[in-house]
Amino acid sequence: GQSLEQPSEVTAVEGAIVQINCTYQTSGFYGLSWYQQHDGGAPTFLSYNALDGLEETGRFSSFLSRSDSYGYLLLQELQMKDSASYFCAVRDRSGGFKTIFGAGTRLFVKA
Amino acid sequence: DADVTQTPRNRITKTGKRIMLECSQTKGHDRMYWYRQDPGLGLQLIYYSFDVKDINKGEISDGYSVSRQAQAKFSLSLESAIPNQTALYFCATSDPRNTGGADNEQFFGPGTRLTVL
């Protein structure tokens, strides 16, 4: 089967850097995505990694190591508005390339 | 702006009632999904459809059914609602043509908060 693990909560200070880790188990890994969700809102797409390495988009970067079944989301220059839940999601070839989401990491940014 | 909309946004119903949640999109995407979100459990895939003639079960399809009436419309039904179906329901769309065939970016509607008493 498929499973994803990520920390349930992370707390950091405004202006700091935070890393949210994700480890996964899947039979047909195709790619790893990250989504952000503010309270009461819909998830919004942040990034996608299909190949090993780092992808950078502004203050956010995402990393993937397929050999380690591991990825992380790196948030730099944290702002209060970054307080939200962050979900990693695995795209899996089995079952028609459906996407499986992790349980999410709640990020609290303190002043 | 091209968008994903869901109706109703909130619904309270009683055990045993039939409920339909509707999703419409103006993005022109072929692929549509229904997810359920419970606190602390992330998003669980209920059903997905890659085109009008294609319907697939997700992780938690028991107790749910779907209908893909057109490219733009994908409805989720609870034939006989039960209290443990109380959750936040999201519809999403994606288009592999936009993402090099990887279909990695999904666009979510605002959600429907369903309470079953």
Side-chain angles (χ1 to χ4, degrees):
Chain A
Q2 304 113 345
S3 67
L4 295 95
E5 289 191 15
Q6 52 181 130
S8 58
E9 287 187 8
V10 173
T11 300
V13 178
E14 196 174 16
I17 298 172
V18 71
Q19 179 174 311
I20 299 174
N21 299 319
C22 175
T23 57
Y24 59 86
Q25 283 188 318
T26 180
S27 55
F29 178 82
Y30 194 76
L32 184 71
S33 299
W34 288 91
Y35 286 79
Q36 178 191 61
Q37 185 182 29
H38 287 98
D39 283 347
T44 57
F45 174 82
L46 292 176
S47 68
Y48 174 73
N49 295 71
L51 302 175
D52 289 353
L54 192 68
E55 295 281 344
E56 298 181 67
T57 308
R59 294 187 299 114
F60 294 1
S61 303
S62 58
F63 172 83
L64 174 66
S65 169
R66 289 175 298 171
S67 60
D68 295 322
S69 298
Y70 164 75
Y72 65 73
L73 180 69
L74 191 72
L75 296 82
Q76 302 182 73
E77 301 172 15
L78 279 175
Q79 302 175 9
M80 297 298 288
K81 68 179 182 179
D82 296 330
S83 292
S85 292
Y86 293 84
F87 296 90
C88 59
V90 168
R91 190 110 177 97
D92 195 310
R93 287 189 182 88
S94 63
F97 288 89
K98 63 179 180 285
T99 298
I100 306 298
F101 284 79
T105 297
R106 183 67 185 250
L107 172 63
F108 297 94
V109 180
K110 302 188 301 183
Chain B
D1 277 345
D3 213 346
V4 183
T5 57
Q6 294 182 233
T7 55
R9 294 293 312 278
N10 288 281
R11 182 71 183 268
I12 301 174
T13 191
K14 294 182 179 180
T15 297
K17 294 292 187 182
R18 184 178 188 275
I19 296 297
M20 179 179 285
L21 308 183
E22 307 214 13
C23 177
S24 295
Q25 53 113 347
T26 57
K27 290 187 169 296
H29 290 172
D30 286 328
R31 300 185 175 186
M32 298 187 73
Y33 311 80
W34 274 104
Y35 290 93
R36 166 182 173 153
Q37 185 173 36
D38 296 281
L41 292 181
L43 293 155
Q44 295 175 279
L45 183 63
I46 306 172
Y47 271 95
Y48 60 106
S49 169
F50 281 179
D51 63 43
V52 176
K53 298 178 182 178
D54 176 76
I55 300 289
N56 304 282
K57 292 183 178 180
E59 305 167 84
I60 55 162
S61 59
D62 288 348
Y64 301 93
S65 63
V66 291
S67 173
R68 184 81 184 266
Q69 301 95 323
Q71 186 205 39
K73 296 185 183 295
F74 192 35
S75 300
L76 176 71
S77 294
L78 289 69
E79 297 301 326
S80 180
I82 56 177
N84 75 3
Q85 291 177 313
T86 293
L88 185 56
Y89 290 84
F90 286 104
C91 173
T93 73
S94 69
D95 186 350
R97 294 172 299 176
N98 291 342
T99 54
D103 188 24
N104 57 71
E105 180 174 1
Q106 296 188 19
F107 299 84
F108 285 80
T112 294
R113 188 168 297 280
L114 177 66
T115 303
V116 184
L117 301 176

